[in-house]
């Protein structure tokens, strides 16, 4: 079992204590799963900040986006004895027949000169907005295409878990492009260059009944409308990615193919990272895939937290042979690690 | 409870006995859920034909598309005592961890001079093909746009339940356009004219966890790539469409708006038809929706069959105020009925 990652000595690099809540009365429970990018010689992280409101012995608090107000959140307080409340999962409660999240996430920026030490913005960069984001926005990828950054994020609401898209070129003004994929879908990353004059993206639909949590690929003329869907990676019974797989951020172009670092979870819910190698011209063709993880939860902050035994990445930066992976550890804090692209490719026997 | 339908006196108009199996050794279990269209002064139905292979006291037969042969199906025979077999649902068995369908569907044409008496083709019009249709193709809509018929159908395989698209203009040659929506999705109908210079389609994603079986709408520049997804109809607790809803075929343009006949199922799994009225220029805006069904299972062939208490439509023809709805009854036979567009609109209070 090879773990190719050289973890930062200052891990975790960002923790909930570093984050100012988005409004009074809220608690930052977790900071995790950042998109990563370069902008004006700085490294930027677009992090997911998950907030909650204090619960008590007698009430459970559920934060909800306040659609009637100017952004911000309202707190629904539910009596723990209410017969219409079902609360068994730490992440989701059911109230009056509706599934509600116990935390609501927004996206927050952090900046660094050296890629290791970050300063977190005081305010959110993007909050959930409107009927498709009432339960928040999560796990944003930040693909750079020319001067534009294409943000793709999970939009959660009672309508389902769908994929939102927005564009910025200055990290000040954001142009929202609506939902580019309907429920149930997440883990969307747009490739940072066109292939055969089409945009390409990885996505991860989930199915009730037949089908599973598999990685798919699609193409688009404009990043707004998507078609030509192909399944490129199923979960693999008996292996480290037996239960679910999902793409990370945009793949890295190498001589051998598009190198994608993805996550897989086994039947114990343990999340590791592995690699997929996709054909440069026909990226729906898989050339190689990791038999073993290239990185797995071994550090204390990866082994225990809000969701233990979990490494999840949706952001990295690349400098020559070095890919610096930013990742959520145990869904609670953000860490960094460096891997060699050459070493990853070597494990794929290509 | 109003049932606005004037059923054909010769219902059911097509039954499994009318259908020649696609190959020796197969049994036609059900014929159902046809797309409907006009072509060269005839009414055409593109029906779903569900076939099975005979099971015995000791073995269960599961048909599978034979990807290695030239179309056609192979039969997997499973010992009923095999510990890796789970068979409790009449529609799906689980074998070695995979969900498999007990029937596999293909699409077959039937033609009529009067819209009431049909002659069924001897051979399939389209069989499942390739890795996304290994378990068959189902419930095809046949939207006519100019001289082209846009076929949208459910493509079922171990990858999930997705949406295939194909085009024909002569009902002889079919041009396949790949998967236009990933799993889990079905009930896709493309509007028969553009709105604001974009193609528009209804679709019905299903979600594990948060979300449900709701009707969505999307737009496309080319019918291949889809975006701008909006949820237009959720299921409604306590009502006739409390558990799931899904679009029928392309909506009818009326002075009041786009009139869509859709299906809804309640918590007993009873499928009825109702109506949605959508804004002509902004069809993601719902102007009205049926409080009560406009048609419900009352005839014997609708009340009992492979899936009892079920009316399901994905095809109609329109002549002035009259819409002739073709529908699957109890998932077993095909029936027809006429409704008045004016009367449907009257129930919507518009």
């Amino acid at each position: 079992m090879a773990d190719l990652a050289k973890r930062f000595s200052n891990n975790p690099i960002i923790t909930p204590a570093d984050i100012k809540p988005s409004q009074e009365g809220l608690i930052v429970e977790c900071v995790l799963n950042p998109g990563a990018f370069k902008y004006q010689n700085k490294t930027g992280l677009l992090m997911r900040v998950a907030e909650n409101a204090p619960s008590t012995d007698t009430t459970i608090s559920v934060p909800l986006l306040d659609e009637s107000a100017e952004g911000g959140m309202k707190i629904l307080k539910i009596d723990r004895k209410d017969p219409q409340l079902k609360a068994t999962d730490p992440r989701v409660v059911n109230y009056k027949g509706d599934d509600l999240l116990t935390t609501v996430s927004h996206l927050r920026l952090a900046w660094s000169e050296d890629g290791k030490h970050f300063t977190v913005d005081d305010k959110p960069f993007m909050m959930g907005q409107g009927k498709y984001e009432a339960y928040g926005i999560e796990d944003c990828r930040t693909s750079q295409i020319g001067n534009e950054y294409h943000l793709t994020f999970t939009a959660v609401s009672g309508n389902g878990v769908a994929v939102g898209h927005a564009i910025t070129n200055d990290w000040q003004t954001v142009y929202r492009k609506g939902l580019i994929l309907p429920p149930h879908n997440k883990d969307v990353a747009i490739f940072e260059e066109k292939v055969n004059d089409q945009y390409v993206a990885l996505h991860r639909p989930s199915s009730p009944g037949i089908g599973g949590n598999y990685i798919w690929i699609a193409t688009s003329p404009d990043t707004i409308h998507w078609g030509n869907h192909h399944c490129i990676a199923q979960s693999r019974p008996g292996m480290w990615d037996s239960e679910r797989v999902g793409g990370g951020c945009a793949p890295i172009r190498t001589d051998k193919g598009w190198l994608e670092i993805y996550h897989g979870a086994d039947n114990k819910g343990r999340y590791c990272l592995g690699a997929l190698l996709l054909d440069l011209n026909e990226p729906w063709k898989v050339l190689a895939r990791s038999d073993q993880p290239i990185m797995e939860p071994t550090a204390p902050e990866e082994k225990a937290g809000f969701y233990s035994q979990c490494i999840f990445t949706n952001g990295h930066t690349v400098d020559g042979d070095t890919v610096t992976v930013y990742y959520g550890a145990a869904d609670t804090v953000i860490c960094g690690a460096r891997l060699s692209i050459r070493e990853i490719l070597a494990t794929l026997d290509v």
Side-chain angles (χ1 to χ4, degrees), chain A:
Chain A
M1 192 85 71
D3 186 306
L4 304 180
K6 293 182 180 67
R7 286 162 173 78
F8 287 1
S9 55
N10 61 328
N11 276 346
I13 56 173
I14 304 172
T15 75
D18 300 321
I19 317 282
K20 200 173 161 190
S22 66
Q23 70 183 50
E24 209 174 323
L26 294 180
I27 302 162
V28 174
E29 289 277 350
C30 316
V31 56
L32 66 163
N33 304 0
F37 57 94
K38 293 283 185 69
Y39 177 68
Q40 291 182 344
N41 294 321
K42 290 186 181 176
T43 300
L45 296 183
L46 187 58
M47 312 175 295
R48 169 180 170 191
V49 173
E51 296 178 304
N52 195 356
S55 292
T56 69
D57 286 349
T58 56
T59 61
I60 283 184
S61 293
V62 176
L64 284 169
L65 194 83
D66 190 352
E67 290 183 54
S68 64
E70 298 152 16
M73 290 198 280
K74 60 186 176 185
I75 311 300
L76 178 66
K77 287 186 185 294
I78 309 170
D79 191 318
R80 287 186 187 273
K81 291 181 183 159
D82 192 318
Q84 297 190 88
L85 172 71
K86 291 173 201 159
T88 52
D89 186 312
R91 297 166 300 180
V92 185
V93 299
N94 187 286
Y95 185 57
K96 295 184 177 175
D98 286 329
D99 284 325
L100 301 171
L101 301 187
T102 56
T103 65
V104 165
S105 295
H106 68 263
L107 303 180
R108 185 85 62 105
L109 283 166
W111 297 100
S112 172
E113 301 284 348
D114 64 1
K116 290 187 75 172
H117 301 86
F118 284 84
T119 306
V120 177
D121 279 5
D122 276 352
K123 296 196 168 158
F125 176 69
M126 283 178 78
M127 296 281 294
Q129 208 176 76
K131 68 182 277 198
Y132 300 112
E133 301 172 6
Y135 302 173
I137 50 179
E138 305 177 354
D139 300 352
C140 190
R141 279 74 175 170
T142 58
S143 298
Q144 184 177 0
I145 305 175
N147 289 324
E148 289 183 332
Y149 296 86
H150 287 257
L151 315 183
T152 46
F153 50 87
T154 308
V156 190
S157 76
N159 298 292
V161 174
V163 181
H165 179 219
I167 295 176
T168 185
N169 55 29
D170 61 4
W171 293 101
Q172 303 284 335
T173 309
V174 176
Y175 301 93
R176 284 175 179 264
K177 301 293 183 180
L179 295 182
I180 55 171
L181 288 165
H184 185 108
N185 212 322
K186 51 170 60 175
D187 297 336
V188 170
I190 301 176
F191 286 38
E192 293 186 309
E193 55 185 282
K194 287 188 186 182
V195 179
N196 302 317
D197 204 35
Q198 292 278 302
Y199 295 98
V200 182
L202 302 175
H203 61 102
R204 208 292 301 277
S206 292
S207 296
I210 290 173
N213 303 294
Y214 305 154
I215 301 175
W216 288 61
I217 198 166
T219 65
S220 172
D222 55 12
T223 76
I224 308 297
H225 305 88
W226 293 89
N228 289 314
H229 299 275
H230 287 274
C231 184
I232 61 167
Q234 294 197 355
S235 46
R236 297 179 293 187
M239 295 183 68
W240 63 275
D241 51 4
S242 62
E243 296 303 310
R244 52 178 63 227
V245 290
C249 62
I252 302 161
R253 176 188 266 283
T254 75
D255 292 345
K256 307 284 188 184
W258 294 104
L259 177 63
E260 173 65 16
I261 299 174
Y262 75 98
H263 67 267
D266 66 13
N267 59 5
K268 291 176 182 155
R270 185 171 183 262
Y271 279 72
C272 298
L273 302 184
L276 280 166
L277 192 69
L278 310 178
D279 186 87
L280 283 176
N281 295 311
E282 299 176 290
W284 48 91
K285 293 187 179 169
V286 178
L287 305 178
R289 182 172 173 184
S290 296
D291 288 332
Q292 301 290 338
I294 59 172
M295 188 172 171
E296 49 187 354
T298 52
E301 65 271 13
E302 300 162 2
K303 290 168 80 175
F306 187 79
Y307 184 98
S308 297
Q309 298 286 354
C310 178
I311 287 176
F312 185 101
T313 186
N314 50 287
H316 63 226
T317 56
V318 176
D319 185 10
D321 180 59
T322 300
V323 52
T324 302
V325 169
Y326 298 93
Y327 61 99
D331 272 10
T332 308
V333 294
I334 290 175
C335 296
R338 298 211 161 103
L339 293 86
S340 154
I341 293 170
R342 189 174 34 75
E343 285 181 21
I344 299 173
L345 291 174
T347 67
L348 296 173
D349 294 327
V350 290

